[in-house]
Amino acid sequence: MRYRQIVAQQQYNFADLKTLMAKATPLRSGDQLAGVAAQDATERVAAQMTLAEVPLKNFLNETVVDYETDEITRLIMDEHRSDLFAPVAHFTVGDLRNWLLSEDATTEKLQQLAAGLTPEMVAAVSKIMRNQDLIYVASKCEVITRFRNTIGLKGHLSTRLQPNHPTDDVLGISASILDGLMYGNGDAVIGINPATDNLHNLSELLKLIDHVIQEYQIPTQSCVLTHISSGIQLAERNVPIDLMFQSIAGTQKANEGFGISLAMLQEGYEATLALNRGSIGNNVMYFETGQGSALSSNAHHGVDQQTIETRAYAVARKYNPLLVNTVVGFIGPEYLYDGKQIIRAGLEDHFCGKLLGVPMGCDICYTNHADADQNDMDVLLTLFGTAGINFIMGIPGSDDVMLNYQTTSFHDALYLRQLLGLKPAPEFSHWLEQQGILRQQQHHIHWAEQVPAQFSKLFMH
């Protein structure tokens, strides 16, 4: 279907929905690299005006990636809930934006609508929204998940404690875990990116985190971020896996580049459920995504990177994850050039994920060759706090010495919680108080100034 718009006495033609979506996307280097971006601001505005007039039903009749050749498209179309879509079926993209910003769009209605929306619908409406729109609507969404604690409640902010080490040194990892716990980090997950990806090393790291969790009875969960094929083998050996991890993307070809398929994700999901390690819930998957991953493997099918990213959330929600993390600035400036583009992309990802019913967190990060700095990350961190993000990362000193990129620190989580009055997951907050790490009095949070004596055993393991 062709789409047209006249702006400033000039007619703009868009060959199909895929082209229109790309041209309407706020400027980013990845779309310029792919050759799909608008030529200038005027064409972008024309595309956004045109997109606002597109009926939502069009997205059910015109796919951006071919149905016959892409299993993600088939997943999106085959599992779409037309009954839940019915209340907004008469909307255009612009109508959806207006309704989302209205008082009628309550938390409960947004939760009911999630499975009735396709990723492309959600990506489309995000493209005609300002940053404040993305923040406000996301703040109305609530996606709650459970394993050993409850993540995603309004008024709460969880963190992934990321104790990476360039040689997977047990003492170094233990020191980072202790440091993070003292700042109230780790309620989303204690998750390690392994430096050495062999089964013995992975097993030892999982046993280390499990020992810490069991020894101190911490209401949290562990994860070692290895490929799901390795995770399945470890699960078969009854190694203590709480969460199964995998990076995912929004096209079949991109996922094949990761060495995965929907069938493999299903196998990993079932293998982890079978371990039955959760105490209050069975959300057992942890997924990571990032704008530009499909383009970097030439698997984007000419679709803009933000729409492809949003399609990955349809993959995620199929497996009822505990956590979904957009690693927003990690891939580099070829895809998100500077702090402004990273901030916009992060807000888009969080908004789109939450609207689709996905428990979104963000690794608020940048690489050292991007035109961005920690002040940009402070801005995005603060915006996410007001938008109600489920979790962020906690890294010693905000500098990951193994992956060599800049992200958020244990102190950043403390700042955001103190600034906005946010609390860790309820079960984790109770544990922090029991350990003497945290005291909550008259709406103020106070943190211990020295390590409680009981944690000395951590370095004797």
Side-chain angles (χ1 to χ4, degrees):
M1 181 182 297
R2 297 187 65 84
Y3 300 87
R4 295 180 176 85
Q5 185 69 239
I6 297 176
V7 175
Q9 297 182 329
Q10 180 175 347
Q11 179 169 292
Y12 290 88
N13 297 300
F14 308 101
D16 49 29
L17 192 56
K18 174 173 67 175
T19 303
L20 177 62
M21 296 270 281
K23 300 291 187 181
T25 305
L27 180 66
R28 64 207 56 198
S29 53
D31 291 338
Q32 292 177 310
L33 179 66
V36 301
Q39 294 300 307
D40 53 36
T42 305
E43 185 182 25
R44 183 172 301 109
V45 169
Q48 290 171 341
M49 292 171 63
T50 307
L51 185 59
E53 297 171 355
V54 174
L56 293 183
K57 288 181 179 179
N58 282 29
F59 293 90
L60 301 176
N61 299 317
E62 184 178 355
T63 61
V64 297
V65 181
D66 184 63
Y67 179 93
E68 299 300 331
T69 60
D70 188 90
E71 66 175 357
I72 311 306
T73 300
R74 293 195 292 274
L75 169 69
I76 292 167
M77 302 303 287
D78 295 351
E79 299 198 1
H80 177 249
R81 290 284 302 275
S82 58
D83 57 327
L84 300 179
F85 177 61
V88 298
H90 59 290
F91 281 1
T92 63
V93 173
D95 292 335
L96 179 60
R97 173 190 177 273
N98 293 339
W99 179 77
L100 290 171
L101 292 169
S102 74
E103 292 184 3
D104 186 53
T106 62
T107 297
E108 294 73 20
K109 287 185 178 180
L110 292 174
Q111 289 171 330
Q112 293 167 4
L113 178 62
L117 297 175
T118 69
E120 290 84 355
M121 294 175 191
V122 171
V125 76
S126 75
K127 296 175 191 298
I128 62 168
M129 298 176 83
R130 294 171 56 185
N131 285 3
Q132 67 171 243
D133 299 340
L134 300 175
I135 293 166
Y136 175 64
V137 176
S139 74
K140 296 197 288 184
C141 298
E142 188 176 39
V143 182
I144 301 168
T145 55
R146 294 178 176 88
F147 188 77
R148 292 197 187 101
N149 57 27
T150 306
I151 299 172
L153 293 168
K154 290 186 178 182
H156 293 259
L157 171 72
S158 296
T159 65
R160 169 187 162 190
L161 201 171
Q162 186 170 310
N164 294 347
H165 192 279
T167 63
D168 288 337
D169 178 73
V170 170
L171 189 60
I173 290 171
S174 299
S176 293
I177 292 175
L178 176 59
D179 191 19
L181 290 173
M182 286 299 296
Y183 282 98
N185 281 245
D187 50 337
V189 64
I190 302 175
I192 302 173
N193 296 90
T196 306
D197 205 26
N198 62 70
L199 291 181
H200 174 74
N201 183 62
L202 299 172
S203 178
E204 290 303 304
L205 291 176
L206 284 163
K207 290 176 182 177
L208 167 65
I209 311 176
D210 186 60
H211 167 76
V212 173
I213 290 174
Q214 300 302 328
E215 177 73 20
Y216 299 102
Q217 299 182 321
I218 308 173
T220 190
Q221 36 281 331
S222 67
C223 186
V224 172
L225 282 67
T226 186
H227 192 273
I228 193 168
S229 59
S230 297
I232 292 169
Q233 293 183 64
L234 292 168
E236 291 172 346
R237 300 180 184 186
N238 208 33
V239 173
I241 293 178
D242 292 339
L243 305 183
M244 183 70 73
F245 170 79
Q246 183 54 49
S247 295
I248 57 174
T251 71
Q252 178 178 332
K253 186 177 179 182
N255 282 326
E256 288 170 352
F258 286 140
I260 63 168
S261 63
L262 295 182
M264 183 179 288
L265 294 176
Q266 183 69 32
E267 182 182 357
Y269 177 50
E270 293 175 359
T272 317
L273 282 175
L275 295 175
N276 196 32
R277 293 179 54 82
S279 58
I280 66 169
N282 59 357
N283 298 116
V284 298
M285 302 299 284
Y286 175 19
F287 295 118
E288 287 192 345
T289 68
Q291 288 194 28
S293 60
L295 175 58
S296 69
S297 59
N298 194 28
H300 61 295
H301 299 276
V303 182
D304 70 90
Q305 65 183 35
Q306 189 250 338
T307 298
I308 292 293
E309 166 73 7
T310 306
R311 284 166 53 93
Y313 306 150
V315 178
R317 71 179 176 182
K318 178 175 174 58
Y319 305 104
N320 304 311
L322 183 77
L323 310 167
V324 177
N325 177 32
T326 170
V327 193
V328 69
F330 184 75
I331 304 180
E334 300 85 358
Y335 307 96
L336 296 170
Y337 179 74
D338 57 14
K340 182 177 182 179
Q341 292 187 13
I342 291 171
I343 290 168
R344 173 69 192 191
L347 295 177
E348 289 169 348
D349 293 352
H350 179 245
F351 162 85
C352 290
K354 283 289 187 65
L355 203 53
L356 289 167
V358 172
M360 290 301 296
C362 183
D363 192 339
I364 304 163
C365 64
Y366 63 101
T367 57
N368 289 311
H369 63 309
D371 188 10
D373 59 27
Q374 210 65 39
N375 287 326
D376 295 314
M377 301 306 104
D378 285 350
V379 170
L380 183 54
L381 171 69
T382 307
L383 295 177
F384 272 144
T386 62
I389 197 162
N390 280 27
F391 69 100
I392 62 171
M393 302 297 110
I395 316 291
S398 77
D399 185 0
D400 193 303
V401 295
M402 197 278 281
L403 292 176
N404 195 29
Y405 76 115
Q406 308 304 309
T407 180
T408 45
S409 69
F410 301 143
H411 303 76
D412 290 330
L414 180 59
Y415 147 76
L416 200 58
R417 284 169 172 167
Q418 290 180 325
L419 175 71
L420 300 176
L422 303 172
K423 300 177 182 178
E427 301 85 353
F428 195 77
S429 290
H430 180 65
W431 178 84
L432 290 171
E433 292 188 75
Q434 286 182 320
Q435 302 303 313
I437 297 173
L438 173 148
R439 289 182 293 115
Q440 300 186 58
Q441 297 177 343
Q442 297 179 345
H443 307 292
H444 292 285
I445 297 176
H446 304 275
W447 299 88
E449 296 182 359
Q450 60 185 14
V451 179
Q454 63 267 32
F455 287 97
S456 61
K457 290 187 293 182
L458 183 58
F459 293 97
M460 300 171 60
H461 170 60

